[in-house]
Amino acid sequence: MPYSRRATGTKALGHALGTLLVLLPTLAACALGSGPSRCAGRAITVAVAPSIAPAIEQAARRYESAGGCRVTVSRQRPSDVAAALSGQGSNPGVARPDAWIPDSSLWLPIARRTDTGAAAVRASGASVAMSPLVLAVPRGHAPGTATWRLLLSTRLPGTGGPSPALRIRFLDPAGDAAGLGALLLAQHAAGPGRNGLSSFAVTLYSDLGSALPDERAAYTRIAKDEAARPPTAVVLSEQSVWRHAHAGDVPLVTALYPKGPTLALDFPYVSTTTDRGRSGTVEDFQATLAQSQTRVALQGLGLRTPDGVAGTGFDERYGVTARAPDRLPAPDPVNVGRVLQMWQRTVLGARMLILLDVSPSMGDPVPRTQDTRMQATAKVAVGGMKILSDNSQVALWEFSTALDGARDYRQIVPFRTLSDKIGAGTQRDLVERSFAAAAPVPGSRTGLYDSVLAAYQEAVRTYQPDHNNVVVVLTDGMNYDPGRTISLQTLLKELARAGDPMRPVAVVPIAFGPDIDPGPLQRIAAATGGQAFVTLDPRQVQQVFLQMLIRLTCGETCPTS
């Protein structure tokens, strides 16, 4: 019996060991996190920028094969994900992920601009790769030395001057991080303060039509302009140039690294879930992204490690250099938002009713010129209008006294978009011809207040919500129509009565000459949220136009550093 009990015990132990050996893989899998008891509710979706997706998909497969929970990698445009995470997206194909790898941290404040986004999206994330911004230049056309000041326009549109070494174009800043980074680089190159803001604004208005929709359009434009003088260069990521060269596509391009530090796409890995279980998997997967296999896979896509190390074969054959450029500090999120808003308002354009003074004093000569005040005003107003995008809508009225029966004003050109076809020309051409034909009205006076009120009421009545609505008053004098004009106090009351907070219209008087009393003009502007500009020289009106447009595009929140 003792022997029998030992035999029975040995057999039982053998069965137990066999069962354990059978179950061991399952137990191990549960311990590592792939078993249903651990991974239930812990599978995650990671939205990634398409340019980094292949390496992240490989990392997800390694993570799962090592016992991790399921990680589904979804290739999504960062701009679409940012909109979805903020709760303001309109693309039904973009679901809210549990983690996100956009191509740039510039998207994070955009995703966090709402309470919904701020609650889910971390303010920062660990970079998994980086790619500096460069200038993609046709091979053989790169200047010997360059700085990021190449991004800045040195003159207003239509004012002449020497051509730059390269014509720089941007990708759409609202949809591409390289485009937004280009704007930030231009702002940095312009410098701080009011002068820097003016220089940056000139660039915005000069290059408004230069925004390209995507990289394909960028290379098409580079090829089309390759033989032009100056040739076109586009601000793109270094990875884009590398990838273009490896694909053998035309045109052949080189990455020009302007002297000085640059911004870089930094590919942050950020959590976008508030679920505790999935958050654990999000954090666990991050360790896989730091592995050497992932680093090598990222370098194989033309990306650098977060500290700037390039992979093998990263050389001039592919239009790039292995040495990483210096990097600027991460941009301030508040400034990023202001710069983007300024650009977006520039794109929208203005809706401008121009009220032109044709009283007799406009025939007086401008000292040290051959022009009358009217002629000088017409020239600089046409020059100032060149700043306006073709999306802008412009109307032109004249005013003095009794121009249209008892009215002190009359419509010369009705509101139309500047690009609209009118006869053999455009609305812009018609407005320019009308300025050139304007002449002082002998024997008239300056019915300023009545005309401003009528123009303001018309602008409010025909308000366009997708434009910056403004009444611009070009005058060389003060209100003067004894016995027939309303008073300043009456004008201010009527402006307040006609105003609508949901349809804001700014009155911007631009006055010049020795007879100006700025006080009433400043009060008119202040009553409508506008600003009055006074100069002794009508030749300065174009610069005043620029300052006015800056005021319209960003108001009190202009980016100044």
Side-chain angles (χ1 to χ4, degrees), residues 77-79 102-107 110 133 171-185 235-237 263-267:
R77 281 167 39 98
S79 57
D103 55 6
S104 173
S105 291
L106 295 175
W107 295 113
I110 296 174
L133 295 184
L171 298 184
D172 179 1
D176 195 287
L180 181 52
L183 285 188
L184 294 168
L185 283 169
V235 181
L236 296 172
S237 71
L263 292 173
L265 306 186
D266 61 339
F267 297 92

Side-chain angles (χ1 to χ4, degrees), residues 509-510 533-535 540-549:
I510 300 176
F533 298 90
V534 177
T535 176
Q540 298 298 314
V541 171
Q542 189 178 52
Q543 286 298 327
V544 171
F545 256 74
L546 177 62
Q547 295 301 319
M548 173 195 69
L549 290 171

